[in-house]
Amino acid sequence: MAAHLSYGRVNLNILREAARKELREFLDKCAGSKAIVWDEYLTGPFGLIAQYSLLKEHEVEKMFTLKSGRLPSADVKNIIFFVRPRLELMDIIAENVFSEDKRHSSVDFHILFVPRRSMLCEQRLKEQGVLSSFINIDEYILDLIPYDGDLLSMEYESAFRECYLENDQTSLYHTAKGLMTLQALYGTIPQIYGKGECARHVANMMLRMKREFAGSQNQILPVFDTLLLLDRNVDLLTPLATQLTYEGLIDEIYGINNGYVKLPPEKFAQKKQGEASKDLPTEPKKLQLNSAEELYAEIRDKNFNAVGAALSKKAKIISAAFEERHNAKTVGEIKQFVSQLPHMQAARSSLANHTSVAELIKDITILSHFFSLSPVSASEAFFDNLTVEQEFMTGVDTDKVNTYIEDSISQKDPLIKILRLVCMQSVCNNGLRQKVFDFYKREILQTYGYEHILTLNNLEKAGLLKPQISSRNNYPTIRKTLKLWMEDANEQNPNDISYVYSGYAPLSIRLTQVLARPGWRSIEEVLKMLPGPHFEERQQLPAGLHKKRQQGENRTTLVFFLGGVTYAEIAALRFLSQMEDSGMEYIIATTKLINGTTWIKSLMDRPESQAP
Amino acid sequence: MMKNKPDEEDYWNSSKFKAFTFDDEDDEFSRLKESKQAVNSIRSLVEEEDDEDEVEKVSWSGEPVGSISWSVRETAASNQKTQREHAFPKINASSPSVSRSHSGYSLSSLFKGKTKPGNFQPFTDSLSESSVKLYAPELRKPKSESKDYISDWSPEETIHRMQQGKVVSLERFRSLQDKLLLLDFSVRAHDGNIITAVLIHLKRTLSKEVLFRELESRQTALRHFIHYLTEIRDHRLLLELLRALGRTEDAALLQYKEHLNIEDESKRRDFLKSCLNLPFSPEESAHVQDHYTLLERQIIIEATDRLAEHAGKVEIFQKFPRRASILNMPLITTLYYCCFYHYNEPEGTYSSPLNIRHTFRISEKQYFVTVLAARAKLKAWSDLDALFTSRNWLGFTKKKSPLSFHRVVDILQKNSAPTQVLQEYVGLVDDADLRIGLAQKHKCHDIVINTYRDLKDRQLLLGYRGKVERGSAEERKINDLLDSPHIRWKN
């Protein structure tokens, strides 16, 4: 199931196994038959850790989604709530428990908080008068979930909002805890670098936690050489830009959730023989996306413009393999051919899926050259949007009202699209000129409703949207020093990370790249312009654990993005890992996988009823 | 495995059969087509559903069969089938023998100091006993663990124990100094959960004045307290706090936000009115004022129009019944509504578009786009004519637009404007290439022909003759031009 986790440089399956073990231990604490009531949000992340079969082995007979009202009758000894620590969920649980009490059933209740128990929630349960109904109140520390062979995510959606809007550092505490667990499994990380306030906090906490456990030495040979902690607010620009890698575009357009994407079903309709194409599926097609799929691993990080060629190359190989049957003359040869069929078939269906996905994306992204196309067609809108983004990133007219944004507002395009662009302009201009700022604000409020004052205020607090205070715009300096814009980005055969945004090299990844070589000392000036401190710490290793590095052996860096990372940034890091002369392999960790849309959404004002 | 499908037999036996041909054209997405073809031709080779064991089974929705979210649905569904009520409530007489222990970390024990040793197995303990031995030498019990249960924990140790998930008593800390130490250590621990617990304790045991004063110098704790008050929706205290801290703008926004929870429009309006005096920043203050004015007007317009609609006397409401109430709609939507139903009203009325434009300082462009969309929807082409026409001081008229005529044409076309109308605006597009493109697209032949004539491009004109209808006026016009001796063709 999770073999792909162990193929990478670092065997992340160890982490998954540890998580599974803990889950089993909790289940065994509740003796007898069980029903689990799920906070629906958790089924995704849990799916990355365990399958139903594991739960079944531990006497889980029924599973329900958490809903208000009565629990479905389950006829089990234990009912376990798997929930996030959220107040509104506590109210639902209380309702469930009351209804079950009315039935006079003798069932035992338990709560498993994921990833942490919470005072507030327990207090709420107490207020509701049900706290004493629970035999076990426990927590399941799911800090870092292995996502792929080189990727860990906390799936902590509100981390950025909490850190930069609410100044609540709980997510940082969990991050530090997660990193301690990781070090417990993979050895102490000798070098820690960081940039940003949150990075500083996390490093401080890690060092303090280590001091507190000073009595015991970690005897595991370190797997990671370096840890790099990066605040998302050091690079606010990158997530706002539209990702142009295959995986990034899938996420931008359809949204990838816990490694799955839901797609419109039309292109996946399969006509089976002997079966008329009578019922076209209406349910969305759900695909799992990870490196377990050979083809996907090959193309996910390519610029979308290089995906067509890659798919066609793959098609050639597969059909050649099928053609082999003509050469199979002897029984032995035929037998061998047949034995390869399952693998070939899997490759074939994988190719079919991704060809369809690529077609879906192509319809939206590729500019048709025919003028006759309606000007508001999806692809033209995409292209125009991209053009404006690239103008901003190269510093063109960032101090004026942008006509495209103005027109998009008057067309009532989705608010999030507008906010992404306006924020990008603000970031690329180190704040908008007061007149421009006021104009956008007024147009947005008039068109989308005055209540969005609150959202605009949030974006201001997070630093994404602001009036220019000093007349000095330091973005051009940063862009030039870090070479954030590359005119001749090669999309087909990239030689630089800028290919992931067809020209723009993500700032966060440039910082990572420069750190590896020639080192941050070469960019002191720029580092000072970016928010928050930068620092270096060392953790002592017990004697005997110092790595004896082979000549030419790569070093391994864990890059932790506090506040989220995009798929395009991940692609850029993978590209650096694969570069022959880089000498560095990267493992990526984050609080949450994000894109501009999900990120802005997390910062928007929510009506009370949807508050966390 | 392959025998019952005749065309597969063909596929297997024929050697000349080619799945598809590749040419080395570098057209990116013709390649997609190729791989699609390849896929299709291969598809028939193998049976669809004979997944091998190693291939994960996937239901149509794409989730692997056996994944958790799949199973939640499945087991819930099977449950429904078997669900039945017990005829008699089951009373289990022997059940209470299982002692229902309270969680040792419950708030009551936390705050009242009632500890129930033994019942609660702290998480970290269970962790350190089992899995951690194998994996995590660093997570072993910390040094302070050796102390006894009831001993006098210092504030620092108390926080430390809370981090371990241990039972603690905060009640013991009575002096202000101790309480503040607790707070400071909890902040240093960065665990929001613990900070909140300490804050709840402080809120219960300190006067507001003292608590607010101390929080002012502790920004992190303060943010957590604000977050906590937001979560439990204690808005009164929150407002008091923000005001005490002099954060009047935040307080104002918070109060303003309340309006979202008020359903009744009159109450909402009154509430917004009460917000007008709040200390917003100047530009926010203007927006809130606009918000109030807008809702006030919407209520008046809605009441009047509903009556008019019911009375059935006003033609436009009969012809185009209102689809929804205008209450709480954004300003531009309201303007559109008024352009639709109240276009020709004198500027003195609340629902007059011109009045709205001036009251809310709507930009010229926004105003034009909205009028255009609304009047085009009604096919009131003459209104548009008037909208774009301006007169200079000599009395000549000229068509002017704050938005490009290219976009004007788009909007018209979306509202299926007739060719004569489109033609007029296409002709106003400045850029010649753009104009021709639009004209061709919308079949505005005159414009195409005239533009080619002005370009003196005989070839293009000849080419275009093939595109117009045989025997039509356009064709005659082209022929006349081509025969004209007065034009010096460039080709």
Side-chain angles (χ1 to χ4, degrees), chain A residues 501-526:
Chain A
Y501 287 96
S502 293
Y504 167 69
L507 196 161
S508 56
I509 311 304
R510 272 287 192 256
L511 289 181
T512 313
Q513 195 179 7
V514 172
L515 177 66
R517 204 159 56 189
W520 275 359
R521 212 161 292 166
S522 62
I523 51 164
E524 284 281 339
E525 284 307 305
V526 165

PDB file of all heavy atoms in Angstrom, chain A residues 501-526:
ATOM      1  N   TYR A 501       7.200  28.198 -12.796  1.00  0.00           N
ATOM      2  CA  TYR A 501       6.233  29.272 -13.023  1.00  0.00           C
ATOM      3  C   TYR A 501       6.509  29.929 -14.379  1.00  0.00           C
ATOM      4  O   TYR A 501       6.194  31.100 -14.570  1.00  0.00           O
ATOM      5  CB  TYR A 501       6.302  30.331 -11.918  1.00  0.00           C
ATOM      6  CG  TYR A 501       5.735  29.896 -10.587  1.00  0.00           C
ATOM      7  CD1 TYR A 501       6.554  29.401  -9.577  1.00  0.00           C
ATOM      8  CD2 TYR A 501       4.367  29.986 -10.334  1.00  0.00           C
ATOM      9  CE1 TYR A 501       6.033  29.007  -8.354  1.00  0.00           C
ATOM     10  CE2 TYR A 501       3.837  29.589  -9.103  1.00  0.00           C
ATOM     11  CZ  TYR A 501       4.670  29.102  -8.127  1.00  0.00           C
ATOM     12  OH  TYR A 501       4.156  28.715  -6.914  1.00  0.00           O
ATOM     13  N   SER A 502       7.096  29.192 -15.303  1.00  0.00           N
ATOM     14  CA  SER A 502       7.435  29.711 -16.636  1.00  0.00           C
ATOM     15  C   SER A 502       8.119  31.077 -16.577  1.00  0.00           C
ATOM     16  O   SER A 502       7.726  32.012 -17.260  1.00  0.00           O
ATOM     17  CB  SER A 502       6.182  29.821 -17.512  1.00  0.00           C
ATOM     18  OG  SER A 502       5.680  28.552 -17.793  1.00  0.00           O
ATOM     19  N   GLY A 503       9.124  31.180 -15.750  1.00  0.00           N
ATOM     20  CA  GLY A 503       9.885  32.426 -15.699  1.00  0.00           C
ATOM     21  C   GLY A 503      10.181  32.899 -14.295  1.00  0.00           C
ATOM     22  O   GLY A 503      11.263  33.400 -14.019  1.00  0.00           O
ATOM     23  N   TYR A 504       9.231  32.716 -13.417  1.00  0.00           N
ATOM     24  CA  TYR A 504       9.436  33.169 -12.045  1.00  0.00           C
ATOM     25  C   TYR A 504      10.043  32.043 -11.201  1.00  0.00           C
ATOM     26  O   TYR A 504       9.526  30.928 -11.150  1.00  0.00           O
ATOM     27  CB  TYR A 504       8.108  33.616 -11.431  1.00  0.00           C
ATOM     28  CG  TYR A 504       8.168  33.811  -9.937  1.00  0.00           C
ATOM     29  CD1 TYR A 504       8.899  34.865  -9.385  1.00  0.00           C
ATOM     30  CD2 TYR A 504       7.511  32.943  -9.068  1.00  0.00           C
ATOM     31  CE1 TYR A 504       8.972  35.040  -8.008  1.00  0.00           C
ATOM     32  CE2 TYR A 504       7.577  33.113  -7.688  1.00  0.00           C
ATOM     33  CZ  TYR A 504       8.315  34.160  -7.171  1.00  0.00           C
ATOM     34  OH  TYR A 504       8.390  34.320  -5.812  1.00  0.00           O
ATOM     35  N   ALA A 505      11.149  32.355 -10.560  1.00  0.00           N
ATOM     36  CA  ALA A 505      11.784  31.384  -9.674  1.00  0.00           C
ATOM     37  C   ALA A 505      11.310  31.670  -8.256  1.00  0.00           C
ATOM     38  O   ALA A 505      11.544  32.764  -7.746  1.00  0.00           O
ATOM     39  CB  ALA A 505      13.295  31.501  -9.748  1.00  0.00           C
ATOM     40  N   PRO A 506      10.608  30.720  -7.624  1.00  0.00           N
ATOM     41  CA  PRO A 506      10.044  30.992  -6.309  1.00  0.00           C
ATOM     42  C   PRO A 506      11.099  31.461  -5.305  1.00  0.00           C
ATOM     43  O   PRO A 506      12.140  30.817  -5.146  1.00  0.00           O
ATOM     44  CB  PRO A 506       9.428  29.663  -5.879  1.00  0.00           C
ATOM     45  CG  PRO A 506       9.663  28.696  -6.971  1.00  0.00           C
ATOM     46  CD  PRO A 506      10.270  29.391  -8.127  1.00  0.00           C
ATOM     47  N   LEU A 507      10.811  32.566  -4.654  1.00  0.00           N
ATOM     48  CA  LEU A 507      11.744  33.174  -3.713  1.00  0.00           C
ATOM     49  C   LEU A 507      12.178  32.191  -2.629  1.00  0.00           C
ATOM     50  O   LEU A 507      13.362  32.060  -2.324  1.00  0.00           O
ATOM     51  CB  LEU A 507      11.058  34.391  -3.084  1.00  0.00           C
ATOM     52  CG  LEU A 507      11.864  35.442  -2.345  1.00  0.00           C
ATOM     53  CD1 LEU A 507      11.043  36.717  -2.248  1.00  0.00           C
ATOM     54  CD2 LEU A 507      12.260  35.015  -0.943  1.00  0.00           C
ATOM     55  N   SER A 508      11.197  31.465  -2.085  1.00  0.00           N
ATOM     56  CA  SER A 508      11.506  30.522  -1.013  1.00  0.00           C
ATOM     57  C   SER A 508      12.553  29.498  -1.449  1.00  0.00           C
ATOM     58  O   SER A 508      13.449  29.146  -0.686  1.00  0.00           O
ATOM     59  CB  SER A 508      10.224  29.800  -0.606  1.00  0.00           C
ATOM     60  OG  SER A 508       9.641  29.174  -1.734  1.00  0.00           O
ATOM     61  N   ILE A 509      12.412  29.049  -2.694  1.00  0.00           N
ATOM     62  CA  ILE A 509      13.324  27.998  -3.163  1.00  0.00           C
ATOM     63  C   ILE A 509      14.689  28.595  -3.513  1.00  0.00           C
ATOM     64  O   ILE A 509      15.730  27.954  -3.327  1.00  0.00           O
ATOM     65  CB  ILE A 509      12.733  27.255  -4.379  1.00  0.00           C
ATOM     66  CG1 ILE A 509      11.283  26.844  -4.097  1.00  0.00           C
ATOM     67  CG2 ILE A 509      13.567  26.025  -4.730  1.00  0.00           C
ATOM     68  CD1 ILE A 509      11.080  26.011  -2.860  1.00  0.00           C
ATOM     69  N   ARG A 510      14.692  29.851  -3.990  1.00  0.00           N
ATOM     70  CA  ARG A 510      15.982  30.511  -4.211  1.00  0.00           C
ATOM     71  C   ARG A 510      16.750  30.610  -2.898  1.00  0.00           C
ATOM     72  O   ARG A 510      17.954  30.360  -2.849  1.00  0.00           O
ATOM     73  CB  ARG A 510      15.775  31.914  -4.769  1.00  0.00           C
ATOM     74  CG  ARG A 510      15.673  31.975  -6.261  1.00  0.00           C
ATOM     75  CD  ARG A 510      17.013  31.742  -6.955  1.00  0.00           C
ATOM     76  NE  ARG A 510      16.917  32.094  -8.358  1.00  0.00           N
ATOM     77  CZ  ARG A 510      16.835  31.218  -9.353  1.00  0.00           C
ATOM     78  NH1 ARG A 510      16.881  29.922  -9.107  1.00  0.00           N
ATOM     79  NH2 ARG A 510      16.724  31.639 -10.596  1.00  0.00           N
ATOM     80  N   LEU A 511      16.045  30.949  -1.824  1.00  0.00           N
ATOM     81  CA  LEU A 511      16.713  31.042  -0.523  1.00  0.00           C
ATOM     82  C   LEU A 511      17.321  29.680  -0.165  1.00  0.00           C
ATOM     83  O   LEU A 511      18.439  29.596   0.323  1.00  0.00           O
ATOM     84  CB  LEU A 511      15.723  31.477   0.559  1.00  0.00           C
ATOM     85  CG  LEU A 511      15.231  32.925   0.520  1.00  0.00           C
ATOM     86  CD1 LEU A 511      14.275  33.192   1.678  1.00  0.00           C
ATOM     87  CD2 LEU A 511      16.404  33.903   0.571  1.00  0.00           C
ATOM     88  N   THR A 512      16.551  28.631  -0.434  1.00  0.00           N
ATOM     89  CA  THR A 512      17.026  27.281  -0.142  1.00  0.00           C
ATOM     90  C   THR A 512      18.260  26.946  -0.981  1.00  0.00           C
ATOM     91  O   THR A 512      19.244  26.400  -0.483  1.00  0.00           O
ATOM     92  CB  THR A 512      15.913  26.258  -0.444  1.00  0.00           C
ATOM     93  OG1 THR A 512      14.695  26.725   0.136  1.00  0.00           O
ATOM     94  CG2 THR A 512      16.260  24.898   0.104  1.00  0.00           C
ATOM     95  N   GLN A 513      18.168  27.326  -2.251  1.00  0.00           N
ATOM     96  CA  GLN A 513      19.257  27.034  -3.186  1.00  0.00           C
ATOM     97  C   GLN A 513      20.539  27.772  -2.788  1.00  0.00           C
ATOM     98  O   GLN A 513      21.616  27.185  -2.757  1.00  0.00           O
ATOM     99  CB  GLN A 513      18.807  27.474  -4.581  1.00  0.00           C
ATOM    100  CG  GLN A 513      19.639  26.940  -5.712  1.00  0.00           C
ATOM    101  CD  GLN A 513      19.107  27.418  -7.070  1.00  0.00           C
ATOM    102  OE1 GLN A 513      18.198  28.253  -7.142  1.00  0.00           O
ATOM    103  NE2 GLN A 513      19.667  26.887  -8.138  1.00  0.00           N
ATOM    104  N   VAL A 514      20.375  29.044  -2.462  1.00  0.00           N
ATOM    105  CA  VAL A 514      21.550  29.847  -2.100  1.00  0.00           C
ATOM    106  C   VAL A 514      22.164  29.343  -0.802  1.00  0.00           C
ATOM    107  O   VAL A 514      23.383  29.320  -0.644  1.00  0.00           O
ATOM    108  CB  VAL A 514      21.170  31.341  -1.977  1.00  0.00           C
ATOM    109  CG1 VAL A 514      22.331  32.142  -1.417  1.00  0.00           C
ATOM    110  CG2 VAL A 514      20.742  31.889  -3.323  1.00  0.00           C
ATOM    111  N   LEU A 515      21.303  28.894   0.118  1.00  0.00           N
ATOM    112  CA  LEU A 515      21.821  28.378   1.383  1.00  0.00           C
ATOM    113  C   LEU A 515      22.771  27.206   1.138  1.00  0.00           C
ATOM    114  O   LEU A 515      23.829  27.101   1.756  1.00  0.00           O
ATOM    115  CB  LEU A 515      20.669  27.938   2.296  1.00  0.00           C
ATOM    116  CG  LEU A 515      21.083  27.311   3.620  1.00  0.00           C
ATOM    117  CD1 LEU A 515      21.782  28.327   4.508  1.00  0.00           C
ATOM    118  CD2 LEU A 515      19.893  26.719   4.348  1.00  0.00           C
ATOM    119  N   ALA A 516      22.391  26.333   0.208  1.00  0.00           N
ATOM    120  CA  ALA A 516      23.225  25.170  -0.090  1.00  0.00           C
ATOM    121  C   ALA A 516      24.531  25.614  -0.762  1.00  0.00           C
ATOM    122  O   ALA A 516      25.597  25.073  -0.503  1.00  0.00           O
ATOM    123  CB  ALA A 516      22.473  24.200  -0.993  1.00  0.00           C
ATOM    124  N   ARG A 517      24.436  26.591  -1.599  1.00  0.00           N
ATOM    125  CA  ARG A 517      25.623  27.104  -2.281  1.00  0.00           C
ATOM    126  C   ARG A 517      25.323  28.460  -2.881  1.00  0.00           C
ATOM    127  O   ARG A 517      24.323  28.570  -3.604  1.00  0.00           O
ATOM    128  CB  ARG A 517      26.063  26.130  -3.382  1.00  0.00           C
ATOM    129  CG  ARG A 517      27.537  26.272  -3.719  1.00  0.00           C
ATOM    130  CD  ARG A 517      28.065  25.057  -4.385  1.00  0.00           C
ATOM    131  NE  ARG A 517      27.286  24.727  -5.587  1.00  0.00           N
ATOM    132  CZ  ARG A 517      27.429  23.595  -6.270  1.00  0.00           C
ATOM    133  NH1 ARG A 517      28.271  22.691  -5.882  1.00  0.00           N
ATOM    134  NH2 ARG A 517      26.703  23.364  -7.343  1.00  0.00           N
ATOM    135  N   PRO A 518      26.005  29.520  -2.628  1.00  0.00           N
ATOM    136  CA  PRO A 518      27.259  29.575  -1.848  1.00  0.00           C
ATOM    137  C   PRO A 518      27.047  29.859  -0.372  1.00  0.00           C
ATOM    138  O   PRO A 518      28.017  30.016   0.360  1.00  0.00           O
ATOM    139  CB  PRO A 518      27.965  30.759  -2.507  1.00  0.00           C
ATOM    140  CG  PRO A 518      26.863  31.650  -2.973  1.00  0.00           C
ATOM    141  CD  PRO A 518      25.688  30.781  -3.277  1.00  0.00           C
ATOM    142  N   GLY A 519      25.849  29.912   0.107  1.00  0.00           N
ATOM    143  CA  GLY A 519      25.606  30.226   1.523  1.00  0.00           C
ATOM    144  C   GLY A 519      24.951  31.582   1.662  1.00  0.00           C
ATOM    145  O   GLY A 519      25.052  32.428   0.789  1.00  0.00           O
ATOM    146  N   TRP A 520      24.239  31.738   2.778  1.00  0.00           N
ATOM    147  CA  TRP A 520      23.444  32.946   2.952  1.00  0.00           C
ATOM    148  C   TRP A 520      24.283  34.203   3.136  1.00  0.00           C
ATOM    149  O   TRP A 520      23.789  35.312   3.001  1.00  0.00           O
ATOM    150  CB  TRP A 520      22.483  32.781   4.144  1.00  0.00           C
ATOM    151  CG  TRP A 520      21.217  32.102   3.736  1.00  0.00           C
ATOM    152  CD1 TRP A 520      20.895  31.688   2.483  1.00  0.00           C
ATOM    153  CD2 TRP A 520      20.101  31.767   4.566  1.00  0.00           C
ATOM    154  NE1 TRP A 520      19.651  31.113   2.473  1.00  0.00           N
ATOM    155  CE2 TRP A 520      19.140  31.150   3.744  1.00  0.00           C
ATOM    156  CE3 TRP A 520      19.831  31.922   5.926  1.00  0.00           C
ATOM    157  CZ2 TRP A 520      17.920  30.682   4.238  1.00  0.00           C
ATOM    158  CZ3 TRP A 520      18.608  31.475   6.420  1.00  0.00           C
ATOM    159  CH2 TRP A 520      17.672  30.847   5.576  1.00  0.00           C
ATOM    160  N   ARG A 521      25.556  34.017   3.486  1.00  0.00           N
ATOM    161  CA  ARG A 521      26.373  35.201   3.716  1.00  0.00           C
ATOM    162  C   ARG A 521      26.421  36.063   2.452  1.00  0.00           C
ATOM    163  O   ARG A 521      26.557  37.266   2.503  1.00  0.00           O
ATOM    164  CB  ARG A 521      27.783  34.789   4.147  1.00  0.00           C
ATOM    165  CG  ARG A 521      28.400  35.791   5.090  1.00  0.00           C
ATOM    166  CD  ARG A 521      29.555  35.189   5.855  1.00  0.00           C
ATOM    167  NE  ARG A 521      29.117  34.157   6.803  1.00  0.00           N
ATOM    168  CZ  ARG A 521      29.968  33.302   7.380  1.00  0.00           C
ATOM    169  NH1 ARG A 521      31.236  33.324   7.071  1.00  0.00           N
ATOM    170  NH2 ARG A 521      29.517  32.423   8.242  1.00  0.00           N
ATOM    171  N   SER A 522      26.259  35.412   1.295  1.00  0.00           N
ATOM    172  CA  SER A 522      26.346  36.155   0.030  1.00  0.00           C
ATOM    173  C   SER A 522      25.116  37.032  -0.220  1.00  0.00           C
ATOM    174  O   SER A 522      25.139  37.870  -1.107  1.00  0.00           O
ATOM    175  CB  SER A 522      26.503  35.167  -1.131  1.00  0.00           C
ATOM    176  OG  SER A 522      25.362  34.333  -1.201  1.00  0.00           O
ATOM    177  N   ILE A 523      24.065  36.830   0.548  1.00  0.00           N
ATOM    178  CA  ILE A 523      22.860  37.621   0.280  1.00  0.00           C
ATOM    179  C   ILE A 523      22.361  38.334   1.531  1.00  0.00           C
ATOM    180  O   ILE A 523      21.165  38.572   1.694  1.00  0.00           O
ATOM    181  CB  ILE A 523      21.720  36.748  -0.307  1.00  0.00           C
ATOM    182  CG1 ILE A 523      21.483  35.511   0.559  1.00  0.00           C
ATOM    183  CG2 ILE A 523      22.018  36.344  -1.738  1.00  0.00           C
ATOM    184  CD1 ILE A 523      20.157  34.820   0.279  1.00  0.00           C
ATOM    185  N   GLU A 524      23.278  38.672   2.420  1.00  0.00           N
ATOM    186  CA  GLU A 524      22.916  39.339   3.672  1.00  0.00           C
ATOM    187  C   GLU A 524      21.948  40.503   3.453  1.00  0.00           C
ATOM    188  O   GLU A 524      20.963  40.662   4.175  1.00  0.00           O
ATOM    189  CB  GLU A 524      24.168  39.872   4.383  1.00  0.00           C
ATOM    190  CG  GLU A 524      24.991  38.802   5.095  1.00  0.00           C
ATOM    191  CD  GLU A 524      24.392  38.398   6.438  1.00  0.00           C
ATOM    192  OE1 GLU A 524      23.609  39.197   6.989  1.00  0.00           O
ATOM    193  OE2 GLU A 524      24.684  37.285   6.907  1.00  0.00           O
ATOM    194  N   GLU A 525      22.247  41.316   2.445  1.00  0.00           N
ATOM    195  CA  GLU A 525      21.451  42.524   2.212  1.00  0.00           C
ATOM    196  C   GLU A 525      19.981  42.174   1.965  1.00  0.00           C
ATOM    197  O   GLU A 525      19.084  42.767   2.551  1.00  0.00           O
ATOM    198  CB  GLU A 525      22.000  43.307   1.007  1.00  0.00           C
ATOM    199  CG  GLU A 525      23.273  44.068   1.304  1.00  0.00           C
ATOM    200  CD  GLU A 525      23.128  44.981   2.527  1.00  0.00           C
ATOM    201  OE1 GLU A 525      22.186  45.810   2.503  1.00  0.00           O
ATOM    202  OE2 GLU A 525      23.909  44.840   3.484  1.00  0.00           O
ATOM    203  N   VAL A 526      19.771  41.204   1.094  1.00  0.00           N
ATOM    204  CA  VAL A 526      18.404  40.806   0.757  1.00  0.00           C
ATOM    205  C   VAL A 526      17.709  40.177   1.965  1.00  0.00           C
ATOM    206  O   VAL A 526      16.544  40.448   2.244  1.00  0.00           O
ATOM    207  CB  VAL A 526      18.413  39.833  -0.440  1.00  0.00           C
ATOM    208  CG1 VAL A 526      17.075  39.132  -0.565  1.00  0.00           C
ATOM    209  CG2 VAL A 526      18.716  40.589  -1.717  1.00  0.00           C
TER     210      VAL A 526
END
